[in-house]
Amino acid sequence: MGEAIRIIGIDPGLRRTGWGIVESLGNSLRFVASGTVRSDDKAALAVRLCQLHDGLAEILHAAMPHEAAVEQTFVNKDAAATLKLGQARGIAMLVPARAGLVVAEYAPNAVKKAVIGVGHGDKKQIHMMVKVLMPKATFDSDDAADALAIAICHAHHRQSIAYRMAAPAG
């Protein structure tokens, strides 16, 4: 059947960046780990970005994932906050890319649809379904639970892509 693929999902944020790692083998998913990288909100922006970078780099080095998935940024009314989130998202994409991983991106609605079946839902629904899909999953923050949802979304999407590629033509 093949080897399990280890996927890291990353939910970027300047204050808290959630991460979650799952292993995907066929139709089965297995929880590996999750957590939250936190930056010092009293530090300068450049220092905070370094803290996020170093924390994520440490996790990738220890966990050795094969693939990465990052949630796309949504634009909100506060342009400054959106810009800062975009910078944190840049770090979330840079770290796995520098580690040689392909980085997939998913819109929040795609993540929700993959995990709860519809494109709109609240965090409680997502967290509940993450626990249903992976009963052994633990998470220390909403961001870590969201990161697991992103990893689950990628596992589902990569399967459908692999299936289409393996299907005979015609």
Side-chain angles (χ1 to χ4, degrees), residues 119-150:
H120 299 283
D122 62 23
K123 287 194 180 292
K124 286 183 183 177
Q125 289 175 297
I126 293 168
H127 299 178
M128 182 190 73
M129 282 306 295
V130 166
K131 289 298 274 183
V132 167
L133 294 168
M134 293 182 299
K136 294 181 181 177
T138 59
F139 31 87
D140 64 358
S141 69
D142 287 346
D143 305 291
D146 290 347
L148 283 169
I150 294 161

Side-chain angles (χ1 to χ4, degrees), residues 9-19 35-41 45 47-56 69-74 76 80-93 95 123 141-144 146-147 150:
I10 303 173
D11 182 31
L14 185 57
R15 198 173 286 141
R16 292 176 311 276
T17 290
W19 59 273
T36 308
V37 177
R38 290 173 167 82
S39 73
D40 178 358
D41 60 356
L45 178 61
V47 171
R48 295 175 75 183
L49 293 172
C50 282
Q51 291 169 340
L52 295 177
H53 175 279
D54 295 348
L56 283 173
V70 177
E71 189 170 63
Q72 291 175 340
T73 303
F74 63 92
N76 61 32
T82 300
L83 183 59
K84 288 177 183 176
L85 177 58
Q87 292 168 321
R89 189 169 172 277
I91 296 297
M93 295 179 70
V95 172
K123 287 194 180 292
S141 69
D142 287 346
D143 305 291
D146 290 347
I150 294 161

